[in-house]
Amino acid sequence: MKLVVTGGAGYVGSVCAARLVESGHDVVVVDDLSTGHADAVPDGCTFVEGELTEVVGPLLADGVDGVLHFAAKSLVGESMEDPHKYWQGNVVTSLRLLEAMREHRVARLVFSSTAATYGEPDSGSITENAPTRPSNTYGATKLAIDHAIASYATAYGLGGVSLRYFNVAGAHGPFGERHTTETHLIPLVLQVAFGQREHIRIFGEDWPTRDGTCVRDYIHVTDLADAHLLALENAVPGAHRVYNLGNGTGFSVREVIDACRRITGHAIPASVAQRRPGDPAELVASSAAARTDLGWQPRRTGLDEIVSDAWEFARRQHGQ
Ligand code: UDP
């Protein structure tokens, strides 16, 4: 297929673009490099640097089979401080993309949605039927786009799939997580191993979980990319499907830190800090629907495997 990948110079976008190229697709990456990196765009892709709404029309006019839409603002804290940036950058931009897709009759869209659309759900594994009550602007903007895709599917025949990721982690060879503002647990812990920070702060150890620290569902980015390929192939004209993507197993913050100690051989000092506002105690996905409908099977589900791929990637970045 001829495909456009928005945000293909970012973490998940670059891994998905790499998997699409590996699978024989013809891929054009569009990225404004506001948070992505030009050298993250995989070999074999055509790279168009520019603001999505400006470049997408001419690109789609060329005849495209599908779009995978990753380009987005994705910092939760920032989304609360500067919501305009998120409504504009995520929702308005996505609506322009949808319009361009309608105009040029692009049949398939796979959208990078998020577990943040569920907010702080009740405990237990989270299915797609869980109420969507986002607790931050980032999640609200992603949910608004999900709704827009649903109505474009119903009214205009788009085949749309929203994939709601839980905690994406790990790396796919040379493609991995490189944020200027890093907020995610695994890369932060690895920064301690590199001496870039003195210790990792654990946000609360009095949560109602097995060791008192928050439990999250870490999904390997390669497994996530595989789900995108399947979603693309299985998109049905006129339908909007939503799938949660996670490992199905939760790991606590302490378990993640211990895995990082094992893999890096570094002591990784940790201290206990205040709970972070808006953090639920436990977030674990039910990916039963993705497994049944798409035939998706996550293969890299062990925490040590996820951490060692992230570690290999980080070492590469440090020239080791
Ligand atoms: N966390 C932590 N210390 C940090 C960063 C994160 O204890 O410096 C915890 C956070 O409270 C959450 C888990 O690690 O329980 C994963 O956080 P992350 O920001 O990676 O992803 P989120 O679950 O918020 O999407």
Side-chain angles (χ1 to χ4, degrees):
M1 285 191 239
K2 182 158 186 204
L3 303 169
V4 168
V5 175
T6 78
Y11 173 37
V12 179
S14 66
V15 173
C16 286
R19 291 289 292 124
L20 292 166
V21 171
E22 286 162 21
S23 308
H25 294 291
D26 182 1
V27 177
V28 179
V29 163
V30 180
D31 201 299
D32 64 3
L33 300 184
S34 55
T35 53
H37 308 270
D39 63 357
V41 177
D43 287 344
C45 297
T46 305
F47 178 38
V48 176
E49 181 184 342
E51 212 267 307
L52 179 61
T53 55
E54 284 166 18
V55 299
V56 79
L59 268 182
L60 298 187
D62 253 8
V64 163
D65 300 301
V67 173
L68 295 99
H69 182 35
F70 300 96
K73 307 285 166 214
S74 60
L75 294 172
V76 168
E78 184 185 61
S79 79
M80 301 303 282
E81 284 152 23
D82 190 4
H84 171 73
K85 188 170 176 180
Y86 283 71
W87 289 103
Q88 180 72 40
N90 292 354
V91 177
V92 174
T93 302
S94 298
L95 290 178
R96 297 238 173 93
L97 170 66
L98 282 170
E99 266 310 280
M101 290 180 66
R102 178 159 79 111
E103 185 185 344
H104 299 294
R105 301 176 191 284
V106 180
R108 294 158 196 261
L109 173 66
V110 180
F111 175 57
S112 167
S113 187
T114 169
T117 52
Y118 298 115
E120 296 170 44
D122 300 335
S123 57
S125 66
I126 300 158
T127 69
E128 294 78 3
N129 295 323
T132 42
R133 292 184 292 235
S135 50
N136 53 61
T137 304
Y138 165 67
T141 62
K142 289 282 185 171
L143 182 60
I145 300 162
D146 284 343
H147 288 316
I149 297 169
S151 35
Y152 270 65
T154 308
Y156 308 133
L158 177 69
V161 184
S162 290
L163 298 177
R164 292 191 173 151
Y165 316 158
F166 282 62
N167 290 64
V168 187
H172 182 68
F175 306 103
E177 198 165 6
R178 255 199 287 169
H179 298 120
T180 314
T181 310
E182 191 51 76
T183 60
H184 291 133
L185 180 63
I186 293 176
L188 285 176
V189 178
L190 295 181
Q191 286 180 0
V192 182
F194 280 110
Q196 291 171 297
R197 60 181 64 234
E198 277 178 16
H199 63 279
I200 184 75
R201 288 183 306 151
I202 298 172
F203 295 146
E205 60 166 2
D206 55 354
W207 296 93
T209 58
R210 52 184 174 265
D211 65 11
T213 65
C214 287
V215 170
R216 293 288 179 276
D217 185 334
Y218 296 88
I219 171 174
H220 195 294
V221 70
T222 309
D223 286 333
L224 188 73
D226 289 345
H228 287 72
L229 264 91
L230 292 166
L232 182 74
E233 287 161 8
N234 286 281
V236 176
H240 176 231
R241 302 264 158 79
V242 177
Y243 296 109
N244 290 349
L245 296 177
N247 218 324
T249 309
F251 298 108
S252 74
V253 173
R254 281 202 189 283
E255 286 163 354
V256 169
I257 297 170
D258 283 342
C260 293
R261 289 178 177 137
R262 275 195 301 278
I263 301 296
T264 65
H266 189 282
I268 307 185
S271 64
V272 177
Q274 292 277 319
R275 288 183 175 195
R276 190 172 61 174
D279 257 345
E282 184 168 333
L283 279 180
V284 179
S286 162
S287 302
R291 290 170 193 252
T292 309
D293 293 3
L294 303 177
W296 180 62
Q297 181 66 53
R299 293 173 208 286
R300 301 154 187 91
T301 53
L303 187 53
D304 283 19
E305 195 175 2
I306 292 172
V307 169
S308 50
D309 287 353
W311 175 236
E312 278 311 309
F313 173 76
R315 282 168 54 112
R316 240 182 241 252
Q317 293 301 307
H318 285 80
Q320 294 179 11

